[in-house]
Amino acid sequence: MRILLYNPDNGVTRNFMPHLWMFLLQALTPAGHEVLLVDGNAQPMDEAGIARFVREQNIELVGIGAMTRMIAKAYRMADAIRAIGVPVVMGGPHVTEEADEALGRSGGPRHADAVALGEADETWPKIVNDAATGNLKEIYKPVDEFGQERKPSLKNYPTIPWDKINLGQFNLIPKFAAGPLRKIGAGWGTFRIIPMESGRGCPYGCEFCTVTGFFGDSIRFRTNQSVVDELLLLKARAKSEGGQIAVFFIDDNFAINIKRTKSLLRDIIAAGAQVHWVAQISANLLRDEELVDLIAASGGKWVFIGMESIDPANLADVNKGFNKPGEYGAVLARLAQRNVFAITSFIFGMDNDTTGVAERTLKEIRTWPPGLPIFGLLTPLPATPLYKRLEAAGRLTRPKHWQEFIPFAMAHTPLKMTVNEAHAEVRIGWANSYSPQAIEKAVDSLSHKPLGYRINIFIARMCFRGIYFPQMGRFAWLKSILENRRTIFKLIAQGLRGGLHAAAPSAITQQVTGQQN
Ligand code: B12
Ligand code: SF4
């Protein structure tokens, strides 16, 4: 069979990173089938486009995976594929919670022939075999011989053949620039961010989060060796094509078992498998100095921290009281001392938020080392404890918000502000953090560091800006480049003066004269 695995675009940003599930299921597909991958963020398609693709490529089975926010698009694409007679299997967190919706059992139209509930590592081979023999069932559930839910062990994690997979659609370097960039330094002809998991599960159970319900509260890890081998494979590929690779460890809390994380990082260092990497780690676990040392030594460059709020009452409300806003600054300083920076994520529209929450948060952020702040709204995702609490209290204003998805729009009313006020707070957060002045300030605050760090934060800020402000097309990019020309000229001038390792002139003066700000 020829199988297509498809992930819809999110309609807002071009995702910088492909989705792991596609590569994983491709690796787990029984022999004798051919699997094609299309990520809508890298290869945008509409309904007619996907139907044409499926027909032209003689696809006999399509697998679609989607988060809640992409599900409306996923359903439209599935409908178009089913309309030409090709069966569709859907999987991922949304249809796991809303299987009846996908199967047309809750009053709406049917979108999928089959759904895979939960983790599909063990059910996917069965789905493929059933489809190949014309025996596709409606629901595939990972259960053991007693019918109990079964979470796959990650001990025998499949080898994802990164050395052979066609990654053309995921190169972040534009085609016209690839040739000349290949010759710079170790080569920049390709740059890809590759998702990798080292473990699954999170016991923390934050109220708004899907993870504890979906992956379970017991944590499962891959062996250190299998993670190290995968890193080595990726590193070798980047080298062979004159390009660069960075890894996003997508574990929900990469340091959830500190002892094990340290042992993994030590093994990465011992094997020379360091690549630049990003991971999600909660602030409480970053108190450990040795862990932070190992993060830096093993290639860690950015840590995503779900700070959510600077208000302890809000954190307690959403069962995230283990976050201590009082220590955020110290945690970030500890990372920055080792040249590791943070993506700090905040949620507005929580029940104790009042107007002005954005400015109060920004005031705190300005006292921290520069990073990448991101702002979102409290969103009741299906089957989360938050969804159930708001539903029981009759507070959901758009109970099926995903069916009429609107980016950055609330689906319930917070207690101490209106929905529009919450939307305005998010806008203030983004506008203030990603204005040309804010970007320049962030870059300048690293003037004591080599130029490479300033370029790094500049590029990262420009890309993150696009999560909120339209930046999909060339003109939008051109406009942001023009708006930030002052910082760009400054960086070019510094580069011409001293090369990538140069500190900015103001920092050198400060070091010579002993001045401090
Ligand atoms: C990496 C990641 C991202 C990446 C993007 C995705 C990417 N390119 O990989 C980034 C950082 C951009 C991101 C952003 C967001 N994310 Co996110 N993200 C994740 C994360 C941490 C890992 C995803 C992953 O690869 N998991 C590992 C793979 C193996 O698991 P999986 O995808 O679930 O796939 C398994 C099964 O679901 C199933 N399966 C999946 N698809 C399919 C398809 C078929 C056909 C079949 C048979 C099976 C199947 O089989 C797989 C193997 O078992 C998850 C949490 C998590 N641990 O999964 C959150 C998660 C998916 N994200 C979530 C959310 C909410 C978001 C945001 C909306 C957050 C925000 N407020 O802005 C944004 C929106 C994204 C956007 N703009 O498109 C939620 C989604 C919940 C939901 N109900 O949809 C999750 C679950 C986290 C959470 N806290 O609840 N995210
Ligand atoms: S710590 Fe992160 S992954 Fe774990 S439950 Fe909380 S938000 Fe979800």
Side-chain angles (χ1 to χ4, degrees):
M1 258 194 325
R2 271 168 83 79
I3 303 168
L4 169 67
L5 297 180
Y6 171 75
N7 201 100
D9 58 278
N10 64 52
V12 182
T13 53
R14 291 252 183 279
N15 264 9
F16 54 87
M17 179 175 78
H19 292 265
L20 180 60
W21 71 266
M22 307 172 105
F23 301 101
L24 190 57
L25 295 195
Q26 186 182 36
L28 290 166
T29 303
H33 303 283
E34 193 186 347
V35 182
L36 280 68
L37 309 181
V38 172
D39 186 322
N41 291 300
Q43 277 181 266
M45 274 185 199
D46 60 9
E47 290 87 325
I50 198 144
R52 202 177 320 117
F53 182 89
V54 167
R55 219 181 296 115
E56 285 170 5
Q57 295 290 330
N58 296 319
I59 304 288
E60 292 157 88
L61 175 71
V62 178
I64 302 183
M67 299 183 203
T68 295
R69 87 178 254 168
M70 284 83 118
I71 203 69
K73 170 90 189 235
Y75 287 156
R76 289 199 301 277
M77 299 300 259
D79 295 348
I81 297 162
R82 294 182 74 236
I84 56 166
V86 176
V88 171
V89 183
M90 296 187 80
H94 185 84
V95 297
T96 295
E97 312 303 354
E98 295 285 332
D100 284 349
E101 177 185 85
L103 291 169
R105 293 170 170 182
S106 55
R110 180 172 186 156
H111 307 286
D113 295 278
V115 294
L117 304 185
E119 296 170 61
D121 309 51
E122 289 171 1
T123 46
W124 175 246
K126 189 167 164 36
I127 294 172
V128 173
N129 287 335
D130 284 358
T133 53
N135 288 311
L136 197 60
K137 319 270 184 307
E138 284 197 325
I139 296 189
Y140 289 85
K141 210 172 168 177
V143 286
D144 61 19
E145 60 272 29
F146 306 109
Q148 297 294 313
E149 192 191 1
R150 182 184 150 96
K151 300 281 180 204
S153 155
L154 302 184
K155 289 288 173 228
N156 296 313
Y157 200 80
T159 303
I160 301 183
W162 291 117
D163 46 341
K164 298 188 191 77
I165 298 176
N166 177 356
L167 292 173
Q169 64 180 316
F170 304 115
N171 187 6
L172 296 176
I173 303 286
K175 273 200 191 106
F176 68 88
L181 286 177
R182 193 165 290 124
K183 298 187 188 101
I184 293 185
W188 279 89
T190 56
F191 176 56
R192 301 191 179 95
I193 303 179
I194 298 295
M196 187 184 290
E197 58 185 338
S198 84
R200 288 186 197 161
C202 178
Y204 285 176
C206 304
E207 195 194 30
F208 52 80
C209 181
T210 310
V211 170
T212 305
F214 187 88
F215 289 100
D217 54 6
S218 72
I219 312 148
R220 290 150 287 147
F221 296 118
R222 289 170 67 179
T223 61
N224 288 359
Q225 193 58 50
S226 98
V227 177
V228 167
D229 288 347
E230 197 171 330
L231 287 169
L232 288 171
L233 208 58
L234 283 166
K235 214 174 160 175
R237 176 170 185 158
K239 195 171 172 205
S240 73
E241 57 189 26
Q244 302 288 324
I245 217 131
V247 162
F248 188 140
F249 284 111
I250 56 87
D251 305 37
D252 289 291
N253 209 335
F254 185 58
I256 189 75
N257 179 332
I258 291 196
K259 202 169 151 210
R260 177 263 169 190
T261 308
K262 286 182 182 171
S263 101
L264 172 63
L265 299 180
R266 282 194 197 101
D267 284 0
I268 290 174
I269 297 166
Q274 293 100 321
V275 296
H276 288 180
W277 58 261
V278 187
Q280 313 182 87
I281 304 178
S282 55
N284 57 327
L285 302 173
L286 292 163
R287 290 174 195 143
D288 190 310
E289 297 272 348
E290 189 188 24
L291 173 71
V292 183
D293 281 339
L294 285 166
I295 289 175
S298 61
K301 293 287 165 208
W302 290 95
V303 175
F304 181 106
I305 307 179
M307 292 186 163
E308 328 302 7
S309 177
I310 54 163
D311 175 358
N314 270 334
L315 292 165
D317 266 357
V318 295
N319 200 30
K320 200 156 185 172
F322 58 86
N323 263 7
K324 306 289 175 213
E327 70 173 353
Y328 289 168
V331 162
L332 298 177
R334 193 171 299 130
L335 291 170
Q337 273 159 17
R338 281 119 173 138
N339 295 322
V340 181
F341 296 94
I343 302 160
T344 50
S345 170
F346 295 94
I347 300 176
F348 293 157
M350 288 187 164
D351 278 352
N352 204 40
D353 277 345
T354 52
T355 49
V357 60
E359 193 41 55
R360 289 192 291 279
T361 309
L362 288 164
K363 203 170 153 211
E364 280 291 302
I365 293 175
R366 287 185 201 112
T367 67
W368 298 339
L372 298 170
I374 55 177
F375 307 91
L377 288 154
L378 189 63
T379 307
L381 293 167
T384 55
L386 173 69
Y387 192 97
K388 291 174 193 158
R389 170 165 70 90
L390 294 172
E391 187 180 40
R395 289 179 58 197
L396 294 174
T397 48
R398 295 188 297 133
K400 301 270 175 196
H401 52 91
W402 52 90
Q403 293 177 355
E404 19 138 5
F405 172 69
I406 314 169
F408 294 101
M410 290 197 79
H412 73 283
T413 311
L415 288 181
K416 298 185 177 172
M417 63 205 297
T418 65
V419 166
N420 284 339
E421 283 167 346
H423 293 176
E425 295 295 334
V426 167
R427 194 167 181 78
I428 293 169
W430 282 99
N432 280 274
S433 303
Y434 292 86
S435 65
Q437 296 76 11
I439 294 182
E440 185 177 3
K441 207 164 164 232
V443 171
D444 286 349
S445 71
L446 292 181
S447 58
H448 56 297
K449 304 259 185 201
L451 177 62
Y453 290 105
R454 294 194 289 288
I455 296 179
N456 185 352
I457 194 134
F458 176 72
I459 295 176
R461 284 248 176 171
M462 289 292 278
C463 294
F464 269 58
R465 194 186 171 282
I467 299 176
Y468 189 77
F469 297 103
Q471 203 166 266
M472 297 260 275
R474 279 175 195 207
F475 286 112
W477 266 102
L478 204 65
K479 189 167 166 261
S480 340
I481 289 171
L482 274 175
E483 283 171 358
N484 286 280
R485 61 187 177 280
R486 228 177 98 92
T487 311
I488 297 174
F489 288 142
K490 225 193 260 185
L491 290 170
I492 294 175
Q494 289 165 15
L496 290 175
R497 268 198 302 268
L500 265 185
H501 300 287
S506 58
I508 296 169
T509 322
Q510 275 173 24
Q511 280 163 22
V512 173
T513 59
Q515 279 172 23
Q516 291 290 323
N517 286 330

